[in-house]
């Protein structure tokens, strides 16, 4: 009996040694991924024009020069097209903001979008952009043909999704079907503008190509797990972020004009993406801010229209809150919100109303809405954060934008990627379902974790 037991034990140990080890999660940030942003601003002609510019500084000087040149070229090309501000308040009413959105993926790839946003009297006039994906080690620019072979079935998937999504935008607007067909040819797709984030490849297009009156961007999204078998070996390696811990940054209650821009700039300069749970009434007052968040490839989600407690509303009124919010997003960015967060986190009435959206709670609350100073906001994250957490913040607060550089640096340096809610779900193999509540996403777990510090 003893010999048989020992034999079985030996076989078990040999089997265990043959199994692949679970991926070790990193505890630091690769040196290649350290970056800073230089910011300049100027006013011209007695405060008639305001121009701000950002320069991304990476470890690769060749890439830095390319991005600097693109920024300066937009300045030279668009400054003559600006309208003079009639009230000597150009920073509010006649702006050109040239900003660099960036993310890292894999071991050495950097994804960038230089976007030049021109607004007059708080109405977006145009937002031309240029994307670029680079290898920080070599300076080489990566194209979609480096990610998919020419005979890959991915091109068919990209074309089908792009045609379906672009055709669905701005449902009340006239559209140009010929332009959609042209954008989805193989030749056009192979040279399309795109970015890579933690879990997503996104194609980006100027909306005016299809919808002449729309000055923003259109985004067509693909998760890596959809494309994995179709990628080149190098692309698979550089989109594999399974060794990172991940958390979702979320902001409630915006957008507003006074604080949301500062928080958005802080997130952009930290190289992270955010899920914004917006209020429809605030979108109605600040559509320019919503468009700016969306164009920079953040996710726009619903926090209802009026931020009323579901307990104070009838079922029909709750459903109407969702509809009214989506009327605003459809009007300004062309698509409805796909995620919902209940005002005050009181989700049961919204489930009862059958709103048809996944309901996102949180597992780390910064309590920034109480007026906490930046350091205290940081401590709320540092003392509680774990892999898979959803972090609750408010981009309308007085101090969040000052806290962002502090906690994002801490998270980067401790091996965390900061992602959108949907990216976090995909990273953990979770498909979000309508009228279902999610607190966090970690290896199939979605409930609030048992933690006395939360």
């Amino acid at each position: 009996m003893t010999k048989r037991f020992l034999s079985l034990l030996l076989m078990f140990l040999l089997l265990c040694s043959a199994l692949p080890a679970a991926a070790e999660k990193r505890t630091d940030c690769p040196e290649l991924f350290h970056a800073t942003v230089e910011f300049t601003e100027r006013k011209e002609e007695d405060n008639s024009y305001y121009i701000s510019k950002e320069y991304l500084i990476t470890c690769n000087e060749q890439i830095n020069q390319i991005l600097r040149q693109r920024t300066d070229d937009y300045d030279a090309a668009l400054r003559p097209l600006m309208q003079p501000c009639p009230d000597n308040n150009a920073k509010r009413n006649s702006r050109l903001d040239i900003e660099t959105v960036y993310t890292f993926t894999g071991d050495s790839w950097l994804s960038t979008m230089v976007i030049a946003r021109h607004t007059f009297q708080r109405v977006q006039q145009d937002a031309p952009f240029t994307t670029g994906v680079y290898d920080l080690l070599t300076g080489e620019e990566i194209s979609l043909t480096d990610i998919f072979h020419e005979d890959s079935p991915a091109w068919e998937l990209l074309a089908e999704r792009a045609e379906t999504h672009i055709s669905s935008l701005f449902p009340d607007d006239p559209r140009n079907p010929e332009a959609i067909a042209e954008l989805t040819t193989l030749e056009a797709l192979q040279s399309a503008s795109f970015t890579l984030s933690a879990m997503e490849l996104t194609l980006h297009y100027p909306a005016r190509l299809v919808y002449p009156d729309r000055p923003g961007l259109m985004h067509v999204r693909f998760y890596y797990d959809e494309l994995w078998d179709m990628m080149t070996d190098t692309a698979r390696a550089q989109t594999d972020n399974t060794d990172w811990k991940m958390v979702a940054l979320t902001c409630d209650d915006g957008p507003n004009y006074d604080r949301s821009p500062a928080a958005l700039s802080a997130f952009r300069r930290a190289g992270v993406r955010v899920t914004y749970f917006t209020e429809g009434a605030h979108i109605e007052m600040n559509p320019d801010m919503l468009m700016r968040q969306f164009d920079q490839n953040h996710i726009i989600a619903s926090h209802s229209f009026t931020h009323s407690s579901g307990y104070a509303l009838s079922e029909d009124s709750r459903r109407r809150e969702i509809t009214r919010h989506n009327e605003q997003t459809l009007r300004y960015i062309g698509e409805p919100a796909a995620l919902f967060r209940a005002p005050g986190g009181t989700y049961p009435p919204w489930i009862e109303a059958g709103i048809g959206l996944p309901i996102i709670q949180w597992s780390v609350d910064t309590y920034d809405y109480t007026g906490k100073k930046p350091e205290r906001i940081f401590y709320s994250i540092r003392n509680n954060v774990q892999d898979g957490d959803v972090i609750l913040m408010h981009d309308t607060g007085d101090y969040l934008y000052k806290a962002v550089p502090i906690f994002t640096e801490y998270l980067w340096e401790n091996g965390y990627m900061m992602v959108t809610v949907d990216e976090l779900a995909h990273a953990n193999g979770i498909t979000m379902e309508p009228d279902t509540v999610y607190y966090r996403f970690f290896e199939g777990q979605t409930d609030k974790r048992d933690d006395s510090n939360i």
Side-chain angles (χ1 to χ4, degrees):
M1 189 72 176
T2 303
K3 289 183 178 179
R4 185 182 179 196
F5 172 77
L6 291 173
S7 177
L8 290 172
L9 178 61
L10 180 61
M11 290 177 62
F12 174 76
L13 292 173
L14 289 171
L15 177 62
C16 288
S17 66
L19 293 174
E24 287 279 339
K25 296 291 185 177
R26 62 169 60 247
T27 57
D28 59 2
C29 181
E31 191 64 32
L32 286 174
F33 285 2
H34 287 83
T36 58
V37 175
E38 292 181 1
F39 171 72
T40 68
E41 60 181 340
R42 70 182 192 269
K43 296 176 183 177
E44 294 186 351
E45 298 184 22
D46 195 26
N47 202 15
S48 294
Y49 307 95
Y50 173 83
I51 298 98
S52 71
K53 299 194 290 185
E54 289 178 345
Y55 298 106
L56 179 64
I57 310 300
T58 74
C59 64
N60 188 300
E61 185 56 32
Q62 176 184 341
I63 297 171
N64 297 345
Q65 290 301 321
I66 292 171
L67 298 177
R68 179 176 289 273
Q69 189 63 54
R70 285 179 178 166
T71 297
D72 290 341
D73 287 349
Y74 275 130
D75 186 0
L78 298 177
R79 164 61 186 84
L81 304 179
M82 296 178 68
Q83 300 165 266
C85 175
D87 57 3
N88 290 326
N89 187 5
K91 195 166 185 178
R92 178 182 176 90
N93 288 321
S94 185
R95 299 178 59 109
L96 175 60
D97 297 280
I98 308 172
E99 298 162 335
T100 303
V101 179
Y102 73 99
T103 50
F104 298 112
T105 183
D107 295 322
S108 63
W109 278 11
L110 165 73
S111 184
T112 67
M113 175 193 292
V114 178
I115 181 168
R117 183 173 174 273
H118 174 209
T119 56
F120 182 70
Q121 295 185 335
R122 294 195 59 195
V123 177
Q124 184 161 306
Q125 306 297 304
D126 202 2
F129 67 93
T130 305
T131 62
V133 177
Y134 305 93
D135 190 323
L136 287 162
L137 280 173
T138 65
E140 176 190 6
E141 184 165 4
I142 309 301
S143 69
L144 281 174
T145 54
D146 296 313
I147 295 177
F148 308 111
H149 293 300
E150 286 192 8
D151 58 352
S152 170
W155 302 110
E156 184 177 347
L157 173 60
L158 267 59
E160 181 181 347
R161 175 94 41 95
E163 180 179 7
T164 300
H165 182 71
I166 293 173
S167 299
S168 73
L169 301 176
F170 302 108
D172 295 330
D173 277 28
R175 66 209 60 222
N176 185 340
E178 291 79 13
I180 298 175
E182 185 175 335
L183 291 174
T184 54
T185 64
L186 177 60
E187 182 180 6
L189 287 168
Q190 289 179 338
S191 60
S193 297
F194 74 101
T195 57
L196 303 173
S197 56
M199 296 298 300
E200 182 182 291
L201 181 152
T202 310
L203 303 179
H204 307 280
Y205 300 98
R208 279 192 172 133
L209 293 177
V210 177
Y211 302 94
D213 296 329
R214 299 296 176 174
L217 275 63
M218 306 180 293
H219 308 298
V220 186
R221 308 184 187 284
F222 305 84
Y223 298 110
Y224 296 148
D225 54 7
E226 301 176 85
L227 304 169
W228 193 257
D229 293 337
M230 310 176 196
M231 289 181 174
T232 63
D233 291 342
T234 300
R236 277 198 294 267
Q238 291 288 2
T239 55
D240 181 0
N241 294 306
T242 54
D243 60 337
W244 287 86
K245 300 186 289 287
M246 292 187 188
V247 293
L249 303 181
T250 69
C251 285
D252 287 8
D253 294 358
N256 77 7
Y257 181 75
D258 295 321
R259 291 302 185 196
S260 292
L264 177 64
S265 292
F267 287 127
R268 182 181 61 254
R269 292 169 187 171
V272 302
R273 296 179 70 202
V274 178
T275 304
Y276 284 99
F277 288 90
T278 56
E279 295 179 30
H282 288 176
I283 295 173
E284 197 169 39
M285 293 186 291
N286 303 287
D288 56 325
M289 192 63 230
L290 178 85
M291 293 175 67
R292 189 173 176 184
Q293 292 168 340
F294 179 76
D295 287 349
Q296 292 181 20
N297 203 23
H298 299 292
I299 297 297
I300 305 301
S302 176
H303 200 37
S304 80
F305 187 84
T306 63
H307 201 269
S308 299
S309 169
Y311 289 113
L313 302 171
S314 67
E315 284 194 20
D316 285 345
S317 295
R318 283 171 240 154
R319 286 189 286 267
R320 179 62 179 153
E321 285 279 315
I322 305 301
T323 302
R324 292 180 70 194
H325 177 278
N326 280 341
E327 286 171 355
Q328 296 299 316
T329 59
L330 286 167
R331 180 180 179 184
Y332 293 110
I333 62 174
E335 59 185 65
L339 302 173
F340 175 75
R341 174 171 285 158
T346 55
Y347 60 82
W350 302 92
I351 295 178
E352 183 181 293
I355 61 171
L357 298 176
I359 299 174
I360 309 302
Q361 293 286 92
W362 56 88
S363 51
V364 173
D365 191 342
T366 62
Y367 295 97
D368 56 342
Y369 61 89
T370 64
K372 275 186 173 184
K373 296 299 177 64
E375 293 79 10
R376 303 302 300 176
I377 295 172
F378 162 60
Y379 298 151
S380 296
I381 295 174
R382 183 198 64 183
N383 295 346
N384 296 295
V385 69
Q386 294 183 19
D387 196 2
D389 276 333
V390 176
I391 300 175
L392 171 62
M393 300 172 289
H394 300 76
D395 65 317
T396 56
D398 291 336
Y399 297 110
L400 177 66
Y401 76 99
K402 293 183 178 181
V404 169
I406 306 172
F407 72 72
T408 55
E409 181 179 5
Y410 171 84
L411 290 170
W412 275 122
E413 293 303 325
N414 284 274
Y416 285 93
M417 274 191 170
M418 288 148 277
V419 302
T420 62
V421 168
D422 52 311
E423 284 186 299
L424 188 60
H426 271 267
N428 287 278
I430 296 165
T431 300
M432 291 182 284
E433 300 291 342
D435 301 309
T436 303
V437 179
Y438 300 90
Y439 285 88
R440 63 194 307 267
F441 301 89
F442 182 68
E443 296 182 352
Q445 303 171 30
T446 61
D447 292 336
K448 187 173 183 178
R449 55 185 165 86
D450 183 13
D451 189 326
S452 59
N453 291 321
I454 298 301

